[in-house]
Amino acid sequence: MTLPLSILDLAHVGDDGIAASFASSVELAQKAEGWGYTRIWFAEHHNMPSIASSATSVLIAHVAASTKSIRLGAGGIMLPNHSPLQIAEQFGTLETLHPGRIDLGLGRAPGSDQNTMRALRRDPSAADTFPSDVQELQAYFAGQTRISGVNAYPGKDTNVPLYILGSSLFGARLAAALGLPYSFASHFAPQALEDAVRIYRREFKPSAALAQPYVIAGVNAIVADTQQEAERMSLQARRSRVASLVGRGQTFTDAEMDMLLDSPAGHQVDTMFRYAAVGTPDVVRAYLDGFAATADADELIVASQITDRTAWIRSFELLATAMELAPRA
């Protein structure tokens, strides 16, 4: 049986600008809907010139208005950057406009650097209250507010499904304790994947939201008609990533980026791309089948670092065919 397959759209900003990124996100969602993908998530990042999904709920609304059935959501909202009430209102609005199609993944990282945290007016200690903030948010959606006299309008009684996102054992234990589905960010922070999933499954407590544990594992995929082309795009993706790590706004030649790939920053990129399916459809299918077993996953969510928009969309098309997804009626 083929696992559900979903997409993490990083809203990559290329040389053609942010508006083109948004247009590509809409195009991908419309096509992915027909190809049979389960959901598309967008991630909250700030002060990153290469990622355009900082106003995550706004982008979800834009894509949802141009699609019909595919689930859309946040993978994730960095909850310590916001008040639970505000997020309940935003995603309650989305769920009311697009009923049965909205997911809310929650993380506790800043999604930014220290200076950007200050610009967001984020309290450095806000992550400490993440567990109680998740419960407060969950209560707003259930119409059972934990703060007397305060409700989310819209949001109350919408029961937007929550997912705990993480790359460490903390998120695994929290998702298990709250009886919520768990999504592990193994597409860029793979180190604790197997331990985290094992702990989550072992400690899971059934809840009104979920009777059995449910794991979504992130993985990178670059699919092309030839192995050579896929590997060429993979090299370019790794070059782009190491350049962004070393210096924002700087321009590097290919030769300079290749030198960076041999540096400690390059080794960090190699670690981030530990779980990456690169190749023709058959090669990628075999890799993802093995990865799903390693991750003990119920669903895979795929990120692609391809910088060419046409090739990026084509990669997801080839992947849908390789994984034998069932197109929506």
Side-chain angles (χ1 to χ4, degrees):
M1 178 180 176
T2 300
L3 294 182
L5 194 65
S6 298
I7 295 171
L8 178 64
D9 181 352
L10 297 174
H12 170 75
V13 180
D15 294 338
D16 47 1
I18 291 174
S21 171
F22 294 154
S24 293
S25 291
V26 169
E27 180 183 358
L28 176 63
Q30 290 172 334
K31 291 180 175 178
E33 190 169 63
W35 294 332
Y37 284 93
T38 298
R39 68 186 92 240
I40 297 178
W41 282 356
F42 302 92
E44 177 187 350
H45 293 283
H46 299 282
N47 193 33
M48 294 187 180
S50 62
I51 298 177
S53 52
S54 54
T56 314
S57 59
V58 179
L59 181 55
I60 292 168
H62 176 63
V63 176
S66 300
T67 51
K68 297 178 181 178
S69 59
I70 193 168
R71 297 194 67 87
L72 298 162
I77 290 293
M78 300 299 104
L79 191 55
N81 291 344
H82 314 272
S83 75
L85 177 61
Q86 288 174 314
I87 296 304
E89 292 167 343
Q90 290 175 20
F91 280 79
T93 298
L94 288 168
E95 174 62 24
T96 302
L97 291 170
H98 308 283
R101 295 181 57 203
I102 301 301
D103 300 328
L104 177 50
L106 301 167
R108 67 181 182 129
S112 58
D113 55 32
Q114 295 295 318
N115 285 337
T116 308
M117 281 177 59
R118 286 194 286 272
L120 287 167
R121 302 297 189 267
R122 171 172 167 161
D123 185 335
S125 67
D128 297 339
T129 61
F130 180 67
S132 61
D133 287 348
V134 171
Q135 292 176 298
E136 181 183 336
L137 177 59
Q138 191 174 32
Y140 286 132
F141 288 134
Q144 300 171 349
T145 180
R146 295 162 67 96
I147 300 178
S148 178
V150 177
N151 281 287
Y153 303 112
K156 185 176 183 287
D157 297 323
T158 55
N159 293 303
V160 174
L162 302 184
Y163 298 75
I164 299 298
L165 277 58
S167 58
S168 69
L169 306 186
F170 176 90
R173 290 195 167 98
L174 177 63
L178 297 180
L180 291 174
Y182 179 53
S183 182
F184 192 89
S186 35
H187 62 290
F188 77 91
Q191 293 88 337
L193 170 64
E194 294 179 61
D195 286 342
V197 172
R198 191 178 303 113
I199 288 170
Y200 168 69
R201 291 194 179 279
R202 185 180 69 229
E203 299 183 5
F204 181 84
K205 297 179 180 178
S207 69
L210 193 64
Q212 300 290 335
Y214 192 86
V215 172
I216 303 176
V219 61
N220 297 287
I222 293 178
V223 196
D225 292 296
T226 68
Q227 189 70 28
Q228 182 180 21
E229 177 63 9
E231 291 175 359
R232 184 195 66 79
M233 291 190 294
S234 177
L235 174 58
Q236 191 57 46
R238 292 171 62 247
R239 285 169 171 169
S240 296
R241 177 59 66 90
V242 76
S244 68
L245 285 176
V246 170
R248 292 176 178 173
Q250 296 185 54
T251 301
F252 299 96
T253 66
D254 286 351
E256 289 170 333
M257 287 187 284
D258 288 342
M259 290 179 63
L260 291 173
L261 286 172
D262 288 329
S263 72
H267 299 320
Q268 182 180 350
V269 169
D270 288 339
T271 298
M272 295 168 73
F273 280 82
R274 178 187 302 174
Y275 295 121
V278 178
T280 61
D282 288 346
V283 168
V284 169
R285 170 64 189 256
Y287 182 94
L288 292 182
D289 286 345
F291 171 75
T294 297
D296 194 12
D298 299 291
E299 179 179 334
L300 301 182
I301 188 163
V302 177
S304 179
Q305 308 292 334
I306 297 172
T307 54
D308 177 84
R309 298 198 191 284
T310 301
W312 178 66
I313 291 175
R314 173 65 173 162
S315 178
F316 285 113
E317 180 181 16
L318 291 170
L319 181 58
T321 301
M323 300 301 287
E324 300 177 349
L325 301 185
R328 285 179 171 81

